[in-house]
Amino acid sequence: MTVMTKGPMRGSPTPWSYTFIRILFKFVLKIFYGTIVVENAHLIPETGQPCIVCANHSNSLTDALLLVTSIPSKKRNMLRLTAKATQFGHKTFTSWLIESAGTVPIKRRKDSVDGSVDNSDAMLKLMEALETGDAVCLFPEGMSRYHPTIAPLKTGVARLVSDVVSRNRNNPDFQISVLTCSITYMHRQHFRSDVLVTFHEPMKFRARDNPGLLSPVDYDNIKRLTAQLHEKISRGTIDSPSWDLVRTAKLATRIYAPLGTRMSLGDYVRVIRTFLDAFKHFEDLNTENPVNRNGTTNIPEAAQKELRHDLKTYQDQLSQWGIKDDRIRRPLPRHIIVQRIFIRLIWSTSLLTISLPGLLLWLPVFGTTFIAVHNFKKTGPIFDTWDEIAQYKLIYGLLSGICVWIIAVILTWPIAPFSTVLVPAFMWMTLRWFEDAVSAFRAFTALCQLLWVGKPTLKSMHDRRKDLHSRLMNLAVHSLGLPINPESFFVAAGGREKGRVKGPWDSTARYFSLKRRRKRDWNETLRLYDKVDYPNDDSY
């Protein structure tokens, strides 16, 4: 079947519910996640240009909401989403949310009794939307999964490109773009962690330039395009065969670019990925040496396996003591440790004290989400439930937060015009103070641990770290092609979101910023302990 698209394509009008959802969840996501960094938004094709947005899928509905809010409305008026058909037709807020945004239901074989599905109607709707000039969102993994690795991609995106190009083969002006996107969560389900959304250069397809995709299409061409999509998405995120490798690559990054290095979240993720690629080679028994960016190998396999083992042992010891690598890198005299213990204790106590009134407003929100997530975890194994934890926290946190806001306004009805704005503002400032209080308390407990561990043991750990740093720098610089001086390099590269600041005034201004607190560690979450461990790999 051939379709001729006449006239300029302007895209479908934006439903009011979609605009409402985009504004609402942009606000909610900014509260739940400490920082959301969007890279290369200028690469997004504008409204009226047919576009398929495809990304990795590790966080259920949260992935879709993140894409909706990360794509500027000036670029695309809307993003037509897809979701599993089992989420439609329920009398729940989540179901209403999905349906009202014009989402297209996709049937999955695993949800069918006999394992057979027919998505021809859904694919037709997507093709018609593309021919109108819309952008549609597909997650080519086929399902959301709580795994450290990206699943093999389904061929749906490639087949959709083939079908829509074939339908418009007689229109020389028709062009469709495939915009790949990599989503990286530092800790996908934890409050106030950080997120990176990286858009890649779009792949563009016209009938005259891609005869191999015109029907009847050779399936090898479909598989080849799918492999290209997998490579582009995978290269922009932390894609690992095991959680243990993720943990080791993050530690290697912290030793190579120590705490305080001014680097963007994108640079941080790419350095992790570089170390991860080196370590991944030794998961494959047929690979003897890690390959650097120039395609050469320098480091013997035995030395790299030993390095991985020593890094794991070092991180295990840090986790047991509850301290960061930076405490070992820069050893402090005992009198300085004692002095800082008192300072951190006073500061954390003071911040907690001024946070208490506002925490009474947050208590119902925290309690509701905790109970909801606790009960949800009981419904299935880790791999089938943990990918929806962030979604549950967002939805239940939103609903309970709205209830708290309404009740607070009713209780202060005589000044309702003021309390309507002041209550959420006060809750936001409470969250800022509470984050600082928790951060100060983490520092307090770590300093106490340093006293408990003792000077001789810390000296031994410091010597071990110096050895690890030397071996890592050899791997990073001579085998992986990373900069020899990361602190200077990433400052010049423009890493301004976190890390060291220019002076006392800049430090104070950013510390008390209303927008977000100044964190020095991209791995930080709103926890009383540093989150460095992951589920056991045998849980899967």
Side-chain angles (χ1 to χ4, degrees):
M1 178 179 179
T2 301
V3 175
M4 283 293 291
T5 306
K6 298 179 180 180
M9 295 176 287
R10 299 179 179 177
S12 302
T14 311
W16 71 267
S17 55
Y18 182 90
T19 303
F20 170 73
I21 288 169
R22 179 160 53 191
I23 294 173
L24 177 65
F25 279 96
K26 191 165 189 174
F27 170 73
V28 174
L29 286 167
K30 282 185 177 293
I31 291 177
F32 187 80
Y33 291 111
T35 308
I36 300 175
V37 177
V38 180
E39 291 186 321
N40 304 327
H42 65 281
L43 297 176
I44 302 171
E46 296 185 354
T47 298
Q49 300 178 30
C51 178
I52 302 174
V53 180
C54 55
N56 53 308
H57 199 20
S58 64
N59 212 3
S60 194
L61 181 61
T62 308
D63 291 331
L65 294 174
L66 196 62
L67 288 175
V68 165
T69 56
S70 296
I71 295 179
S73 57
K74 293 181 180 179
K75 278 283 187 177
R76 306 290 318 194
N77 67 322
M78 68 175 292
L79 178 64
R80 191 173 293 277
L81 302 172
T82 56
K84 56 185 178 183
T86 54
Q87 290 186 322
F88 290 74
H90 303 293
K91 295 181 180 180
T92 63
F93 179 75
T94 302
S95 184
W96 171 84
L97 192 70
I98 292 171
E99 295 176 17
S100 61
T103 306
V104 177
I106 301 292
K107 299 174 184 177
R108 303 185 305 175
R109 286 190 175 88
K110 63 174 290 186
D111 299 322
S112 175
V113 176
D114 59 0
S116 62
V117 296
D118 180 10
N119 280 312
S120 55
D121 289 342
M123 298 302 284
L124 179 60
K125 289 181 180 179
L126 293 177
M127 284 191 287
E128 291 173 347
L130 290 168
E131 289 167 350
T132 307
D134 287 348
V136 304
C137 178
L138 290 172
F139 295 103
E141 288 178 88
M143 61 182 293
S144 175
R145 327 175 318 138
Y146 191 87
H147 277 259
T149 184
I150 296 176
L153 302 191
K154 310 293 184 183
T155 58
V157 173
R159 287 187 285 111
L160 179 59
V161 170
S162 173
D163 289 345
V164 75
V165 169
S166 297
R167 278 167 56 99
N168 293 272
R169 67 175 73 206
N170 294 331
N171 182 355
D173 297 325
F174 184 85
Q175 176 179 275
I176 181 172
S177 299
V178 177
L179 179 70
T180 52
C181 175
S182 302
I183 304 175
T184 307
Y185 299 91
M186 292 298 97
H187 298 285
R188 70 191 84 182
Q189 77 274 26
H190 290 310
F191 195 35
R192 304 303 291 167
S193 62
D194 301 310
V195 188
L196 174 69
V197 181
T198 302
F199 294 103
H200 306 291
E201 187 74 36
M203 304 170 69
K204 300 179 180 181
F205 300 91
R206 292 178 186 267
R208 65 171 181 265
D209 300 327
N210 299 272
L213 291 177
L214 298 179
S215 60
V217 64
D218 185 342
Y219 193 66
D220 286 341
N221 295 331
I222 297 294
K223 291 194 293 184
R224 192 175 298 110
L225 175 54
T226 302
Q228 292 174 357
L229 297 177
H230 189 284
E231 172 66 15
K232 288 173 73 72
I233 295 173
S234 173
R235 292 303 306 172
T237 188
I238 301 173
D239 184 19
S240 169
S242 68
W243 290 115
D244 186 60
L245 274 181
V246 175
R247 184 177 186 257
T248 303
K250 282 191 174 184
L251 174 62
T253 300
R254 284 194 294 274
I255 294 176
Y256 166 73
L259 187 66
T261 301
R262 283 176 56 192
M263 61 193 310
S264 69
L265 180 55
D267 287 334
Y268 177 67
V269 169
R270 283 183 281 274
V271 173
I272 293 175
R273 179 60 196 249
T274 301
F275 281 114
L276 186 62
D277 284 344
F279 296 143
K280 274 199 300 187
H281 285 284
F282 305 106
E283 294 291 298
D284 185 352
L285 297 178
N286 296 323
T287 303
E288 295 185 356
N289 294 314
V291 180
N292 71 1
R293 294 176 180 179
N294 299 320
T296 61
T297 59
N298 298 329
I299 310 299
E301 178 187 5
Q304 289 309 310
K305 287 185 177 180
E306 184 181 2
L307 176 59
R308 273 192 55 195
H309 175 269
D310 291 346
L311 285 169
K312 182 181 186 304
T313 304
Y314 178 71
Q315 181 62 74
D316 289 343
Q317 187 63 74
L318 293 179
S319 299
Q320 181 181 341
W321 290 340
I323 62 176
K324 288 185 178 182
D325 166 70
D326 195 60
R327 300 293 182 185
I328 304 298
R329 178 175 73 100
R330 299 187 299 180
L332 299 172
R334 292 182 68 85
H335 71 279
I336 297 296
I337 295 176
V338 173
Q339 178 185 357
R340 291 189 179 184
I341 284 176
F342 282 105
I343 293 174
R344 294 290 185 260
L345 180 60
I346 293 171
W347 185 231
S348 62
T349 303
S350 302
L351 286 170
L352 181 60
T353 301
I354 65 175
S355 300
L356 284 176
L359 287 177
L360 293 176
L361 295 174
W362 278 104
L363 190 60
V365 180
F366 294 155
T368 301
T369 54
F370 175 81
I371 294 172
V373 170
H374 179 72
N375 292 333
F376 175 68
K377 284 182 179 179
K378 298 178 181 178
T379 62
I382 288 177
F383 67 85
D384 199 34
T385 55
W386 280 35
D387 64 308
E388 296 188 40
I389 289 178
Q391 168 186 320
Y392 267 72
K393 287 182 176 180
L394 286 172
I395 299 298
Y396 281 91
L398 170 62
L399 296 178
S400 57
I402 291 175
C403 290
V404 168
W405 175 60
I406 292 174
I407 292 172
V409 171
I410 292 175
L411 293 177
T412 57
W413 189 252
I415 57 168
F418 299 99
S419 60
T420 300
V421 176
L422 291 179
V423 168
F426 182 55
M427 291 180 70
W428 171 251
M429 286 309 302
T430 297
L431 182 61
R432 281 279 289 101
W433 295 328
F434 187 56
E435 276 191 289
D436 291 327
V438 171
S439 178
F441 186 78
R442 276 199 307 266
F444 164 76
T445 57
L447 290 167
C448 289
Q449 285 284 26
L450 292 180
L451 283 183
W452 177 80
V453 169
K455 189 174 181 179
T457 305
L458 289 177
K459 176 67 168 59
S460 174
M461 282 289 285
H462 180 69
D463 293 339
R464 187 197 297 187
R465 189 200 183 275
K466 286 179 64 176
D467 176 63
L468 286 173
H469 179 264
S470 175
R471 292 155 64 190
L472 268 174
M473 290 301 293
N474 183 40
L475 170 66
V477 176
H478 298 108
S479 183
L480 304 180
L482 290 173
I484 192 171
N485 191 334
E487 296 184 72
S488 300
F489 175 83
F490 290 114
V491 168
R496 299 174 182 174
E497 286 109 339
K498 284 190 176 69
R500 294 196 178 97
V501 289
K502 296 179 181 178
W505 171 253
D506 188 29
S507 175
T508 303
R510 290 173 60 186
Y511 189 88
F512 291 101
S513 168
L514 296 178
K515 185 177 180 182
R516 64 169 183 256
R517 67 181 296 269
R518 176 177 62 83
K519 294 192 291 185
R520 298 178 68 206
D521 187 357
W522 284 114
N523 202 51
E524 185 179 325
T525 65
L526 187 56
R527 295 259 164 167
L528 293 175
Y529 56 90
D530 290 311
K531 182 66 181 174
V532 295
D533 295 319
Y534 297 89
N536 294 326
D537 289 307
D538 56 12
S539 301
Y540 301 91

